[in-house]
Structures are given as structure tokens and as C-alpha cells.
Amino acid sequence: MNATHRTGHGAPDLSRPVVLDLHGVTDKTTFMNRCVRALPLPVWFGHNWDALADCLADMGRPMAIVVTGWQAYAEASPDEWATAEEVFSAAARAGVEGLTVLLSLGGLEDPTGEPPRGSDD
């Protein structure tokens, strides 16, 4: 999946995407922690796949999410990454507002593979 299907009334502003940086992520717990830090999720977010799908589908505004550094997670935990892809895709199809999820295929990769500064992973 290189981009998800976008539906809904609004068109996301692709010039101002939300960046979900997954550099250094290799497990679901760290993935969910990164989602909490990067995405406008509610405080009641349950750190599980169903909660992420619900929250993304219920965004109150059009949004573009660019996922960077995801390749190591996809390699380390292919089943979890497949679930993440399914969640992104389903949320984009189900959302009332426009949601677009783009996977960065290169150019923004962190060569050190270390989490970003200030990371609590």
C-alpha cells in the first residue's frame, strides 16, 4: 500500500501533512506510542488496533498523514505491519472527513535507525 483511498467531504491539505515517524519502531507498543505523539488522538485512545481505526475514521477534519521510516517495522513484524496497513486503509475508506495516508518510500529515511530525539520509546 503506497497510499490509501480517500473519501469524504474535505480534501486533506497535502502541503501540511502530519508526519508519523516510525524510525526505530519494531513492535506494536512502540508503534502505538508514536501514533499517540504524532496524531491528534483523543486522551481515551486505547493503544490497540480497533481504537486506532476508530479514532482515524472519526477525525474531525481532513488530514494527510505521511508515514516515514516504516520499512524496519514492516520487516521486523510483518503481521503487525499488515494490520497497520489495513487500519490505515479502512479508516480512509470509512472516515466522514477526508483522510489520506501516504507511505514515504525513501528520501526521508534516518540512516542511524535511532528513534528521534526526545523519544520515549
Side-chain angles (χ1 to χ4, degrees):
M1 172 182 81
N2 293 333
T4 62
H5 175 71
R6 182 185 52 77
T7 61
H9 300 106
D13 182 356
L14 295 177
S15 68
R16 300 186 70 197
V18 173
V19 176
L20 176 57
D21 181 0
L22 299 182
H23 289 100
V25 172
T26 57
D27 60 57
K28 179 182 171 187
T29 299
T30 308
F31 173 82
M32 292 293 172
N33 289 341
R34 294 289 178 88
C35 287
V36 167
R37 285 203 333 257
L39 304 174
L41 300 173
V43 287
W44 54 261
F45 173 66
H47 290 78
N48 62 64
W49 297 119
D50 289 335
L52 183 59
D54 291 345
C55 291
L56 290 174
D58 291 339
M59 289 290 160
R61 63 183 172 88
M63 182 183 311
I65 301 170
V66 176
V67 184
T68 62
W70 56 272
Q71 292 91 339
Y73 184 35
E75 186 175 314
S77 302
D79 292 340
E80 288 177 13
W81 178 247
T83 301
E85 286 183 310
E86 290 172 22
V87 165
F88 289 140
S89 183
R93 287 190 313 272
V96 174
E97 295 297 330
L99 174 66
T100 299
V101 179
L102 306 166
L103 301 181
S104 172
L105 297 178
L108 299 175
E109 304 307 313
D110 179 357
T112 66
E114 294 181 18
R117 287 183 45 205
S119 174
D120 61 351
D121 299 332

mmCIF file of all heavy atoms in Angstrom, residues 2-4 16 19 29 54-55 61 63 79-80 83 91 101-102 108 112 115 118:
data_model
loop_
_atom_site.group_PDB
_atom_site.id
_atom_site.type_symbol
_atom_site.label_atom_id
_atom_site.label_comp_id
_atom_site.label_asym_id
_atom_site.label_seq_id
_atom_site.Cartn_x
_atom_site.Cartn_y
_atom_site.Cartn_z
ATOM 1 N N ASN A 2 0.801 2.039 -0.995
ATOM 2 C CA ASN A 2 1.574 3.263 -1.061
ATOM 3 C C ASN A 2 0.747 4.483 -0.739
ATOM 4 O O ASN A 2 1.272 5.525 -0.436
ATOM 5 C CB ASN A 2 2.216 3.424 -2.433
ATOM 6 C CG ASN A 2 3.261 2.366 -2.661
ATOM 7 O OD1 ASN A 2 3.835 1.864 -1.712
ATOM 8 N ND2 ASN A 2 3.494 2.008 -3.893
ATOM 9 N N ALA A 3 -0.533 4.381 -0.830
ATOM 10 C CA ALA A 3 -1.444 5.444 -0.432
ATOM 11 C C ALA A 3 -2.802 4.815 -0.207
ATOM 12 O O ALA A 3 -3.132 3.812 -0.815
ATOM 13 C CB ALA A 3 -1.544 6.515 -1.518
ATOM 14 N N THR A 4 -3.552 5.403 0.697
ATOM 15 C CA THR A 4 -4.869 4.850 0.931
ATOM 16 C C THR A 4 -5.894 5.632 0.151
ATOM 17 O O THR A 4 -5.664 6.760 -0.265
ATOM 18 C CB THR A 4 -5.233 4.893 2.423
ATOM 19 O OG1 THR A 4 -5.257 6.252 2.835
ATOM 20 C CG2 THR A 4 -4.252 4.109 3.255
ATOM 21 N N ARG A 16 0.532 20.333 4.079
ATOM 22 C CA ARG A 16 0.736 20.390 5.527
ATOM 23 C C ARG A 16 0.363 19.045 6.160
ATOM 24 O O ARG A 16 -0.547 18.971 6.977
ATOM 25 C CB ARG A 16 -0.098 21.513 6.123
ATOM 26 C CG ARG A 16 0.281 22.868 5.520
ATOM 27 C CD ARG A 16 -0.415 23.982 6.184
ATOM 28 N NE ARG A 16 0.165 24.093 7.521
ATOM 29 C CZ ARG A 16 -0.411 24.756 8.496
ATOM 30 N NH1 ARG A 16 -1.541 25.351 8.315
ATOM 31 N NH2 ARG A 16 0.165 24.821 9.685
ATOM 32 N N VAL A 19 3.209 14.103 10.059
ATOM 33 C CA VAL A 19 4.247 13.098 9.829
ATOM 34 C C VAL A 19 4.243 12.099 10.978
ATOM 35 O O VAL A 19 4.370 12.477 12.146
ATOM 36 C CB VAL A 19 5.638 13.750 9.677
ATOM 37 C CG1 VAL A 19 6.718 12.679 9.531
ATOM 38 C CG2 VAL A 19 5.653 14.700 8.489
ATOM 39 N N THR A 29 3.839 -1.891 20.476
ATOM 40 C CA THR A 29 3.828 -0.919 21.571
ATOM 41 C C THR A 29 4.484 0.386 21.152
ATOM 42 O O THR A 29 3.934 1.470 21.358
ATOM 43 C CB THR A 29 4.534 -1.495 22.815
ATOM 44 O OG1 THR A 29 3.823 -2.660 23.241
ATOM 45 C CG2 THR A 29 4.586 -0.481 23.944
ATOM 46 N N ASP A 54 -10.863 3.343 14.871
ATOM 47 C CA ASP A 54 -11.994 4.207 15.224
ATOM 48 C C ASP A 54 -11.593 5.670 15.267
ATOM 49 O O ASP A 54 -12.294 6.537 14.737
ATOM 50 C CB ASP A 54 -12.585 3.799 16.574
ATOM 51 C CG ASP A 54 -13.296 2.459 16.539
ATOM 52 O OD1 ASP A 54 -13.599 1.952 15.434
ATOM 53 O OD2 ASP A 54 -13.534 1.902 17.631
ATOM 54 N N CYS A 55 -10.470 5.965 15.905
ATOM 55 C CA CYS A 55 -10.011 7.349 16.030
ATOM 56 C C CYS A 55 -9.682 7.960 14.669
ATOM 57 O O CYS A 55 -10.036 9.106 14.395
ATOM 58 C CB CYS A 55 -8.804 7.437 16.952
ATOM 59 S SG CYS A 55 -9.183 7.087 18.681
ATOM 60 N N ARG A 61 -11.509 16.586 10.895
ATOM 61 C CA ARG A 61 -11.079 17.459 9.800
ATOM 62 C C ARG A 61 -10.339 16.623 8.764
ATOM 63 O O ARG A 61 -9.813 15.553 9.080
ATOM 64 C CB ARG A 61 -10.171 18.569 10.321
ATOM 65 C CG ARG A 61 -8.879 18.051 10.939
ATOM 66 C CD ARG A 61 -8.042 19.187 11.511
ATOM 67 N NE ARG A 61 -6.914 18.705 12.263
ATOM 68 C CZ ARG A 61 -5.719 18.427 11.763
ATOM 69 N NH1 ARG A 61 -5.491 18.570 10.478
ATOM 70 N NH2 ARG A 61 -4.743 18.014 12.538
ATOM 71 N N MET A 63 -7.357 15.261 6.712
ATOM 72 C CA MET A 63 -5.973 15.116 7.147
ATOM 73 C C MET A 63 -5.177 14.236 6.196
ATOM 74 O O MET A 63 -5.693 13.242 5.688
ATOM 75 C CB MET A 63 -5.930 14.495 8.541
ATOM 76 C CG MET A 63 -4.522 14.351 9.092
ATOM 77 S SD MET A 63 -4.487 13.533 10.703
ATOM 78 C CE MET A 63 -5.723 14.421 11.586
ATOM 79 N N ASP A 79 3.362 -9.196 10.262
ATOM 80 C CA ASP A 79 1.932 -9.347 10.539
ATOM 81 C C ASP A 79 1.358 -8.081 11.163
ATOM 82 O O ASP A 79 0.261 -7.649 10.810
ATOM 83 C CB ASP A 79 1.673 -10.554 11.447
ATOM 84 C CG ASP A 79 1.954 -11.876 10.766
ATOM 85 O OD1 ASP A 79 1.976 -11.923 9.514
ATOM 86 O OD2 ASP A 79 2.165 -12.875 11.489
ATOM 87 N N GLU A 80 2.103 -7.501 12.095
ATOM 88 C CA GLU A 80 1.651 -6.251 12.712
ATOM 89 C C GLU A 80 1.594 -5.130 11.673
ATOM 90 O O GLU A 80 0.643 -4.344 11.660
ATOM 91 C CB GLU A 80 2.579 -5.841 13.855
ATOM 92 C CG GLU A 80 2.466 -6.700 15.079
ATOM 93 C CD GLU A 80 3.449 -6.303 16.168
ATOM 94 O OE1 GLU A 80 4.059 -5.212 16.085
ATOM 95 O OE2 GLU A 80 3.604 -7.090 17.122
ATOM 96 N N THR A 83 -1.415 -5.390 9.589
ATOM 97 C CA THR A 83 -2.583 -4.892 10.327
ATOM 98 C C THR A 83 -2.614 -3.371 10.304
ATOM 99 O O THR A 83 -3.674 -2.769 10.095
ATOM 100 C CB THR A 83 -2.578 -5.417 11.771
ATOM 101 O OG1 THR A 83 -2.593 -6.851 11.751
ATOM 102 C CG2 THR A 83 -3.775 -4.903 12.544
ATOM 103 N N ALA A 91 -9.708 3.066 7.674
ATOM 104 C CA ALA A 91 -10.045 4.383 8.216
ATOM 105 C C ALA A 91 -10.227 5.398 7.094
ATOM 106 O O ALA A 91 -11.126 6.242 7.145
ATOM 107 C CB ALA A 91 -8.976 4.849 9.187
ATOM 108 N N VAL A 101 -3.414 8.576 3.666
ATOM 109 C CA VAL A 101 -2.204 8.069 4.310
ATOM 110 C C VAL A 101 -1.217 7.737 3.206
ATOM 111 O O VAL A 101 -1.513 6.960 2.311
ATOM 112 C CB VAL A 101 -2.483 6.829 5.175
ATOM 113 C CG1 VAL A 101 -1.193 6.322 5.808
ATOM 114 C CG2 VAL A 101 -3.528 7.129 6.243
ATOM 115 N N LEU A 102 -0.053 8.359 3.281
ATOM 116 C CA LEU A 102 0.998 8.152 2.283
ATOM 117 C C LEU A 102 2.204 7.518 2.960
ATOM 118 O O LEU A 102 2.621 7.967 4.031
ATOM 119 C CB LEU A 102 1.401 9.495 1.672
ATOM 120 C CG LEU A 102 0.256 10.319 1.077
ATOM 121 C CD1 LEU A 102 0.696 11.745 0.826
ATOM 122 C CD2 LEU A 102 -0.230 9.665 -0.188
ATOM 123 N N LEU A 108 13.519 10.288 3.116
ATOM 124 C CA LEU A 108 13.353 10.814 4.458
ATOM 125 C C LEU A 108 13.825 9.816 5.507
ATOM 126 O O LEU A 108 13.576 9.990 6.683
ATOM 127 C CB LEU A 108 11.875 11.158 4.719
ATOM 128 C CG LEU A 108 11.270 12.208 3.808
ATOM 129 C CD1 LEU A 108 9.777 12.347 4.091
ATOM 130 C CD2 LEU A 108 11.952 13.546 3.989
ATOM 131 N N THR A 112 20.679 6.398 10.751
ATOM 132 C CA THR A 112 21.160 5.843 12.011
ATOM 133 C C THR A 112 20.224 4.784 12.555
ATOM 134 O O THR A 112 20.624 3.950 13.358
ATOM 135 C CB THR A 112 21.308 6.936 13.085
ATOM 136 O OG1 THR A 112 20.006 7.448 13.413
ATOM 137 C CG2 THR A 112 22.213 8.055 12.615
ATOM 138 N N PRO A 115 15.717 6.185 17.292
ATOM 139 C CA PRO A 115 14.499 6.967 17.477
ATOM 140 C C PRO A 115 14.809 8.460 17.497
ATOM 141 O O PRO A 115 15.932 8.860 17.826
ATOM 142 C CB PRO A 115 13.978 6.513 18.849
ATOM 143 C CG PRO A 115 14.652 5.220 19.113
ATOM 144 C CD PRO A 115 15.966 5.275 18.382
ATOM 145 N N GLY A 118 14.259 12.939 22.038
ATOM 146 C CA GLY A 118 13.112 13.133 22.898
ATOM 147 C C GLY A 118 12.130 11.977 22.846
ATOM 148 O O GLY A 118 11.051 12.034 23.415
#
